Amino acid sequence: MTAALKLDGLKKDFGKTSVIMGVDLEIGKGERHAIIGPNGAGKSTLFNLITGRFSQSAGHVYLHGKDLNGLAPYQINRMGLSRSFQITNIFSRMTVFENVRCSLLWSMGYKYSFWHMVARSRALNETAEEILEEINLQKRRDTPAGLLSYAEQRALEIGITIAGGADVIMLDEPTAGMSHSETDYIVGLIRKVTENKTLVMVEHDMGVVFGLADQISVLVYGEIIATGAPEEVRANPKVQEAYLGAALEAEH
């Protein structure tokens, strides 16, 4: 079966500095895959390579068997891959409902059709309402997005990420900076909205990682040193030495 996402010899150099050094990885359809590692390991750079924000120095990225090399981020998104960012990326002056509706326009056929009155589109507005219900923000639909709590803004960004119908969802530190209760809320939301989709996430909270992921890859200094099921990775001596022991201690 063709992998949902495949990285083949992926490399990225910034001048003379190598940040990603020959990463090979296959992520199956419907898998929830976490990428973990110490600060500076190259996790966000890897995300940016996959999603087209950075061009690779060598290697290939494949989405459902199709080579993404040379494609712009918007082209990759339209092929079925969507992502969130470490820093919340929403339209703060637009309402929650308008943020979600805006993210639906291309996938629902509006594209560059500026003459359409989106407020009159029943299908578009009903779909936006359904997404608000799914991300538990229906009661906040008319609130300017900039006035939401931090956790609600992250939930809205997840809603924007899934709105276009992508089947591969990439989340960059979705619970960073959250309290335990906020983290529980977002984890439950992620579990719900990524059902039957492929999830790839970068995350530092080991409770979130081991609670959500089917498979985990450990990235250290631009190289993947281990990939496997959570308990397999937890027991790996190389992982414990390079990262996991210190990360687990930090959780307690």
Side-chain angles (χ1 to χ4, degrees):
M1 182 180 292
T2 303
L5 193 65
K6 180 180 178 182
L7 313 183
D8 184 11
L10 199 60
K11 296 182 180 181
K12 180 61 180 178
D13 301 327
F14 292 99
K16 295 182 179 180
T17 303
S18 296
V19 177
I20 299 296
M21 295 180 282
V23 168
D24 297 308
L25 181 64
E26 288 194 24
I27 298 174
K29 293 179 181 178
E31 187 176 298
R32 289 175 175 160
H33 199 110
I35 299 172
I36 65 174
N39 290 330
K43 302 183 296 298
S44 290
T45 299
L46 189 64
F47 254 45
N48 287 330
L49 290 171
I50 294 169
T51 57
R53 295 194 80 206
F54 292 168
S55 60
Q56 63 271 46
S57 301
H60 293 266
V61 178
Y62 299 93
L63 178 66
H64 301 306
K66 297 178 181 178
D67 195 340
L68 301 184
N69 281 26
L71 297 182
Y74 75 89
Q75 293 172 310
I76 294 171
N77 176 263
R78 292 170 188 173
M79 292 174 65
L81 185 151
S82 188
R83 69 166 292 180
S84 71
F85 293 83
Q86 280 186 7
I87 299 173
T88 305
N89 194 17
I90 57 177
F91 297 108
S92 60
R93 295 185 180 181
M94 293 169 59
T95 68
V96 172
F97 175 79
E98 288 167 340
N99 269 268
V100 172
R101 184 172 63 184
C102 185
S103 66
L104 286 165
L105 292 176
W106 185 274
S107 64
M108 295 193 68
Y110 287 85
K111 301 181 181 179
Y112 301 117
S113 180
F114 297 109
W115 54 87
H116 279 95
M117 297 291 289
V118 293
R120 298 177 183 173
S121 172
R122 181 176 177 180
L124 177 66
N125 290 303
E126 286 181 351
T127 303
E129 297 285 3
E130 290 170 2
I131 292 173
L132 289 180
E133 198 72 45
E134 191 172 8
I135 61 175
N136 304 320
L137 288 179
Q138 184 62 40
K139 293 180 180 179
R140 304 283 268 162
R141 72 180 302 284
D142 298 320
T143 303
L147 298 181
L148 297 177
S149 70
Y150 177 64
E152 288 173 331
Q153 288 186 3
R154 296 300 276 179
L156 175 58
E157 187 173 28
I158 290 171
I160 291 169
T161 303
I162 67 169
D167 59 359
V168 177
I169 306 297
M170 300 185 64
L171 303 179
D172 196 351
E173 298 195 28
T175 69
M178 292 188 183
S179 66
H180 288 300
S181 61
E182 289 173 330
T183 296
D184 290 343
Y185 163 62
I186 292 297
V187 168
L189 177 62
I190 292 170
R191 185 175 284 114
K192 179 172 70 171
V193 301
T194 60
E195 189 173 355
N196 300 321
K197 297 179 185 289
T198 303
L199 171 65
V200 186
M201 64 177 179
V202 165
E203 180 58 62
H204 282 290
D205 187 322
M206 291 299 101
V208 173
V209 169
F210 286 102
L212 268 178
D214 305 316
Q215 294 284 300
I216 299 172
S217 291
V218 184
L219 187 71
V220 177
Y221 300 122
E223 297 181 286
I224 289 181
I225 64 170
T227 293
E231 290 310 314
E232 180 183 350
V233 168
R234 189 196 291 268
N236 188 309
K238 288 171 57 179
V239 175
Q240 291 178 355
E241 180 181 355
Y243 173 63
L244 201 52
L248 287 172
E249 284 179 13
E251 293 292 312
H252 300 290

